[in-house]
Amino acid sequence: LTAERFMSGFVQALRARDALAFKEKLRKIDILLIDDMEFLQGPTIQQEFCHTLNSLIDGGRQVVVAADRAPTQLDKLDMRMRSRLGGGLVAEIGTMDYELRHKILEKRAAEACSDTRGLDISDSVLAFLAERLTESGRGLERAVHRLRASYPRTDEPVTLETAEQIVRASMRAAAGLPP
């Protein structure tokens, strides 16, 4: 789950006066994967996450945390949390190569095509997107979502021109410009 979902779940549990059930549910899992750790905010939520982290690790379970920077550089986290996260294996994940980007696009496109009757995304479109969208997996998913969203409005085959428009829009968004 994302750090945002963890925070939301914890806040909802507090409001429902069911924090114990929330804690127990998390502490019984075998592996916890948290994405976007840089967004975990608030001393109470960080403290609860730290308790959950310690409980899982002490119980021999695994915890995987992903963030956009190293634990020591996560300024929103308190020093104790940064230290705890930095004590584990810290690995930088580099950029994806073309083959991985293409495989991700193939998988997401297959899912989109099976969910959207008549939608067909050719391999030439996927190859074009894999070549041009090199920043992140989210950018790849966003491109497939945009292709899927545009299809019902036009009811026309997905073309390289459509893919080019998506790439241009993605580049403008990455540069902070309006679409």
Side-chain angles (χ1 to χ4, degrees):
L1 62 146
T2 63
E4 183 180 354
R5 272 186 151 164
F6 177 86
M7 291 187 301
S8 175
F10 183 61
V11 169
Q12 287 176 2
L14 287 175
R15 286 185 182 147
R17 299 177 191 260
D18 202 15
L20 189 58
F22 176 81
K23 293 175 187 184
E24 289 303 314
K25 178 182 169 188
L26 281 177
R27 292 177 183 170
K28 289 181 180 178
I29 61 176
D30 293 324
I31 183 168
L32 176 64
L33 300 163
I34 296 283
D35 193 14
D36 297 327
M37 191 64 180
E38 64 273 17
F39 297 123
L40 192 72
Q41 298 179 35
T44 304
I45 291 172
Q46 286 184 28
Q47 182 178 14
E48 182 54 40
F49 182 79
C50 198
H51 289 311
T52 300
L53 182 70
N54 289 335
S55 176
L56 290 170
I57 291 170
D58 291 347
R61 295 182 176 93
Q62 293 186 347
V63 178
V64 177
V65 176
D68 63 357
R69 53 194 170 274
T72 56
Q73 298 172 341
L74 295 172
D75 300 334
K76 291 181 182 178
L77 298 183
D78 68 30
M79 194 59 180
R80 189 175 110 205
M81 178 68 78
R82 283 185 273 173
S83 174
R84 184 72 164 120
L85 293 174
L89 173 63
V90 178
E92 181 177 350
I93 298 174
T95 58
M96 296 180 282
D97 64 7
Y98 170 85
E99 304 233 352
L100 180 57
R101 292 191 307 269
H102 194 270
K103 285 180 182 180
I104 290 170
L105 285 165
E106 281 179 330
K107 181 173 179 2
R108 296 299 184 225
E111 292 167 357
C113 291
S114 71
D115 291 343
T116 307
R117 197 167 59 113
L119 177 64
D120 181 39
I121 304 172
S122 70
D123 191 62
S124 61
V125 168
L126 296 179
F128 173 81
L129 293 172
E131 183 69 37
R132 301 290 169 87
L133 299 174
T134 60
E135 293 301 313
S136 72
R138 287 192 180 115
L140 300 173
E141 289 192 33
R142 189 170 33 252
V144 173
H145 288 304
R146 286 182 178 171
L147 289 173
R148 182 179 179 191
S150 68
Y151 175 73
R153 291 180 292 176
T154 63
D155 205 27
E156 293 183 17
V158 175
T159 63
L160 278 175
E161 183 179 314
T162 307
E164 287 174 355
Q165 291 171 355
I166 287 172
V167 168
R168 277 197 298 276
S170 293
M171 289 177 163
R172 292 184 64 77
L177 301 171

